[in-house]
């Protein structure tokens, strides 16, 4: 019987500064996993079009006997695409772990992932933020909360609040993810969508060790809209409900105006209230149209059926027993 295999999938975007430290930590964790669970541990790195020398650094690194796959995108396609590429590449392993390169996903937790996976037989073990740090920024925390609240209105499956990409997924979970045809892949939603048995472990994410997050508030807003348009039509329904509410209110207002006309003739009515109403409804309509446009735009983009990413390089280094370990 051959040992079970585990691939650690890491998307890398301009992380050169922190990579040496990451590779160090990974190496010792991989050794511990191999020793404790008799797993064959390999790595899959996806360079998401970095403009620094992340890829060269990875390529020059001595991984010893571990098998390593190095993918490089032709440009920056985003983390979701990078994770998808990693999962596509992990087609022969028993399980994969998805983790960030900035050590905000402490590699030590992988030991717990593997333990839960092997002892309980669940299909995915994910880390969730037990508490959102204040250092994370109010903005980000508020977005996250609004996001999970809205998206979970509509669904027959759950996207656990605070669950991120840091997780272990087994073979059939990966097969399911690979079978999804959309090119715009919001992974945090897809994990929930595919179903299976999943279990969560609490995590208090440490701050980045170096560099800075590439997700600013504008990007988070865009991602939130993206997630909505791929996973729920609740916003469209809310638009319709708002329309109904406004219609009812204006009927009420109409009745009020008629009553005023007959019972209190000669009371002057102001132009200001008319202007306020016009601009209010103008604004509402723009918001609704814009939102509708988001959904239509998403449909147009998906209809093109473009691949989620393009590879520039695909380097495989098979771990050879007896090869020098650095
Ligand atoms: N990342 C990526 N492509 C991008 C942006 C980020 O592959 O366009 C990677 C990045 O290298 C890191 C992970 O995704 O490994 C998380 O990125 P980041 O730390 O910037 O996000 P945050 O922790 O703020 O959510
Ligand atoms: Mg990070």
């Amino acid at each position: 019987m051959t040992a079970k295999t585990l691939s650690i999938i890491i998307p890398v975007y301009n992380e050169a500064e922190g990579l040496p430290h990451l590779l160090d930590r990974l190496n010792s964790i991989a050794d511990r996993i191999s020793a404790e669970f008799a797993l064959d541990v390999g790595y899959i790195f996806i360079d998401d079009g970095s403009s620094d020398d992340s890829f060269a650094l990875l390529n020059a690194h001595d991984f010893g006997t571990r098998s390593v796959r190095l993918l490089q995108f032709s440009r920056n396609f985003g983390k979701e695409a990078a994770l998808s590429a990693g999962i596509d590449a992990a087609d022969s392993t028993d399980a994969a772990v998805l983790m960030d390169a900035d050590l905000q996903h402490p590699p030590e937790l992988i030991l717990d992932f593997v333990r839960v996976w092997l002892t309980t037989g669940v299909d995915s073990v994910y880390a969730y933020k037990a508490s959102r740090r204040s250092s994370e920024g109010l903005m980000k925390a508020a977005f996250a909360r609004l996001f999970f609240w809205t998206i979970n209105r509509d669904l027959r499956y759950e996207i656990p609040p605070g669950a991120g990409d840091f997780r272990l997924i087994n073979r059939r979970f990966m097969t399911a993810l690979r079978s999804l045809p959309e090119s715009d892949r919001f992974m945090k939603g897809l994990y929930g969508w595919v179903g299976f048995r999943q279990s969560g472990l609490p995590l208090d994410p440490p701050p980045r060790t170096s560099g800075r997050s590439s997700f600013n508030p504008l990007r988070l807003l865009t991602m939130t809209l993206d997630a909505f348009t791929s996973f729920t039509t609740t916003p469209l329904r809310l638009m319709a409900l708002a329309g109904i509410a406004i219609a009812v209110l204006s009927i009420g207002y109409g009745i009020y105006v008629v009553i005023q006309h007959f019972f209190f003739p000669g009371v002057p009515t102001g132009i200001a209230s008319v202007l306020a109403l016009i601009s209010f409804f103008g604004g509402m309509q723009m918001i609704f149209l814009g939102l509708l446009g988001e959904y239509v735009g998403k449909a147009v983009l998906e209809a093109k059926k473009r691949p989620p990413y393009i590879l520039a390089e695909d380097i495989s280094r098979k771990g050879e027993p007896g090869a020098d370990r650095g």
Side-chain angles (χ1 to χ4, degrees):
M1 198 187 93
T2 53
K4 284 193 171 175
T5 51
L6 176 79
S7 290
I8 300 179
I9 298 174
I10 305 179
V12 175
Y13 180 57
N14 293 342
E15 304 278 4
E17 198 184 330
L19 271 181
H21 187 142
L22 171 79
L23 295 173
D24 250 25
R25 286 268 290 274
L26 270 182
N27 190 38
S28 65
I29 282 301
D31 285 347
R32 276 173 66 189
I33 296 170
S34 302
E36 206 168 310
F37 302 102
L39 288 178
D40 199 347
V41 182
Y43 305 123
I44 299 174
F45 291 98
I46 306 94
D47 174 29
D48 185 12
S50 297
S51 52
D52 65 3
D53 47 3
S54 295
F55 186 75
L57 237 145
L58 287 167
N59 204 9
H61 188 78
D62 179 8
F63 289 94
T65 56
R66 305 218 173 276
S67 64
V68 177
R69 185 95 174 259
L70 279 178
L71 304 177
Q72 186 185 35
F73 283 178
S74 60
R75 63 168 168 84
N76 182 241
F77 280 90
K79 181 182 174 186
E80 316 298 314
L83 290 172
S84 302
I87 292 165
D88 290 346
D91 57 354
S92 59
T93 60
D94 294 299
V97 166
L98 310 174
M99 70 174 261
D100 284 2
D102 58 5
L103 287 172
Q104 283 194 293
H105 294 162
E108 287 70 27
L109 202 63
I110 300 176
L111 284 161
D112 297 323
F113 285 169
V114 172
R115 190 171 300 119
V116 173
W117 168 53
L118 290 176
T119 54
T120 68
V122 292
D123 299 280
S124 176
V125 188
Y126 60 85
Y128 64 91
K129 287 177 194 162
S131 61
R132 291 197 164 267
R133 305 190 146 236
S134 41
S135 69
E136 198 179 33
L138 281 177
M139 193 73 164
K140 197 168 175 182
F143 263 128
R145 214 162 278 137
L146 170 76
F147 168 70
F148 284 111
W149 183 84
T150 315
I151 211 156
N152 279 325
R153 288 308 87 194
D154 191 31
L155 304 179
R156 281 186 201 85
Y157 52 94
E158 212 204 336
I159 300 179
D165 293 306
F166 189 25
R167 59 176 62 224
L168 179 147
I169 54 185
N170 72 2
R171 191 190 282 270
R172 67 178 185 185
F173 200 99
M174 285 190 274
T175 308
L177 285 176
R178 264 182 237 118
S179 74
L180 303 177
E182 57 248 71
S183 59
D184 186 89
R185 309 176 70 81
F186 178 67
M187 299 301 291
K188 287 177 190 62
L190 296 180
Y191 305 131
W193 191 91
V194 296
F196 294 118
R197 288 205 299 142
Q198 314 197 12
S199 81
L201 299 177
L203 161 76
D204 194 13
R208 257 174 171 273
T209 49
S210 65
R212 57 195 204 91
S213 170
S214 37
F215 292 95
N216 56 39
L218 187 65
R219 194 150 167 196
L220 280 175
L221 178 66
T222 327
M223 272 191 70
T224 306
L225 269 178
D226 257 352
F228 282 156
T229 50
S230 356
F231 280 90
T232 165
T233 48
T234 300
L236 292 176
R237 196 163 307 150
L238 290 179
M239 278 160 42
L241 288 177
I244 293 172
I246 289 167
V248 170
L249 282 177
S250 54
I251 290 173
Y253 185 69
I255 293 171
Y256 166 77
V257 169
V258 170
I259 290 172
Q260 201 187 36
H261 179 76
F262 285 112
F263 292 95
F264 308 99
V267 174
T269 47
I271 188 82
S273 57
V274 175
L275 282 179
L277 283 177
I278 288 177
S279 46
F280 173 72
F281 289 115
M284 292 279 270
Q285 281 177 3
M286 298 261 259
I287 293 171
F288 289 172
L289 270 178
L291 199 54
L292 192 61
E294 284 283 333
Y295 281 94
V296 176
K298 173 64 61 82
V300 170
L301 289 179
E302 287 295 339
K304 290 181 204 260
K305 293 200 190 328
R306 287 190 184 153
Y309 57 87
I310 300 286
L311 289 181
E313 293 279 357
D314 181 351
I315 300 171
S316 270
R317 287 203 237 137
K318 277 279 158 283
E320 283 152 30
D324 274 346
R325 300 232 33 194

